[in-house]
Amino acid sequence: MSIEVIRSFLLWCTVINYGVLVLWFLFFIFAHDGIQRLHGKWFHFSREQFDSIHYIGMSIYKIGIMLFNLVPYVVLCIIN
């Protein structure tokens, strides 16, 4: 497997993962009450707890994207 293939793979992983993150954010903004009602059937969170859990989840997911996809892609672009 060449560096070009790995670089292309990491680029597409980054794009797809950021797409998932944007989709999650849009669902959270525009369908907030529906999502909270759905999850409220299973878990009993206050509105503040629900918002903070999603905010923390999005933050961890974004850090994961940067750490495992974006940084290796940039490194491969720099060394080649």
Side-chain angles (χ1 to χ4, degrees), residues 29-55:
I29 293 299
F30 295 114
H32 182 272
D33 295 333
I35 295 171
Q36 188 175 10
R37 273 195 309 271
L38 177 67
H39 289 152
K41 293 178 184 177
W42 302 315
F43 311 105
H44 301 289
F45 295 130
S46 69
R47 186 176 183 92
E48 291 80 20
Q49 288 174 323
F50 180 77
D51 291 347
S52 65
I53 287 169
H54 274 274
Y55 182 75

Side-chain angles (χ1 to χ4, degrees), residues 13-23 61-62 65-66 70:
C13 283
T14 303
V15 169
I16 290 169
N17 279 307
Y18 268 113
V20 169
L21 183 63
V22 167
L23 190 65
Y61 190 68
K62 185 177 179 181
I65 294 169
M66 285 189 233
L70 189 59

